Amino acid sequence: TFQHRPLRGTQQMQTQVQESVQVWQNIQKARKQELAEMEEEEPMKISKSDAEKIALNFAEVLKKCRKEQRRVHNCSSEEDCSKASMDLTMCMAPVLCPVQRGHLRKVRV
């Protein structure tokens, strides 16, 4: 005959659960501290003229790189998408990050 046994873990399993709960609580505590520290930092400040320059640069990139953006949007294979994405990055780089573009051009295959 069937004998019903209680679904109870071993003592070791119960200890592991307690350890897991403690680890989770420590993770949550550390995250709260991290968020509190981030809130204490001063927010990034940007001047109106710098904000306007950024907006103009971004508008220039959007206009200049339309063809590359369409290629990314319409790519169908992983290889095609990878090439299209790299072309878009290279198109945007002279305006958004010229130093990185120079380094990338040196290593591009």
Side-chain angles (χ1 to χ4, degrees), residues 13-71:
M13 292 171 86
Q14 291 174 1
T15 302
Q16 289 173 342
V17 169
Q18 291 171 354
E19 289 174 3
S20 294
V21 169
Q22 185 62 44
V23 167
W24 178 249
Q25 289 172 346
N26 289 339
I27 290 170
Q28 295 302 311
K29 183 179 177 183
R31 182 65 179 146
K32 284 181 184 177
Q33 288 174 342
E34 184 180 305
L35 291 173
E37 289 171 6
M38 288 173 57
E39 288 178 3
E40 291 175 2
E41 294 176 6
E42 283 190 40
M44 187 173 77
K45 295 179 182 176
I46 187 167
S47 69
K48 183 177 179 180
S49 65
D50 285 343
E52 289 171 349
K53 287 177 189 175
I54 291 169
L56 289 172
N57 285 344
F58 193 69
E60 177 186 345
V61 166
L62 290 176
K63 186 176 181 181
K64 179 181 171 195
C65 301
R66 283 185 180 150
K67 180 179 86 174
E68 290 80 4
Q69 178 59 42
R70 276 195 299 273
R71 282 189 55 222

Side-chain angles (χ1 to χ4, degrees), residues 36 48 74 91 97:
K48 183 177 179 180
N74 296 324
C91 179
C97 46

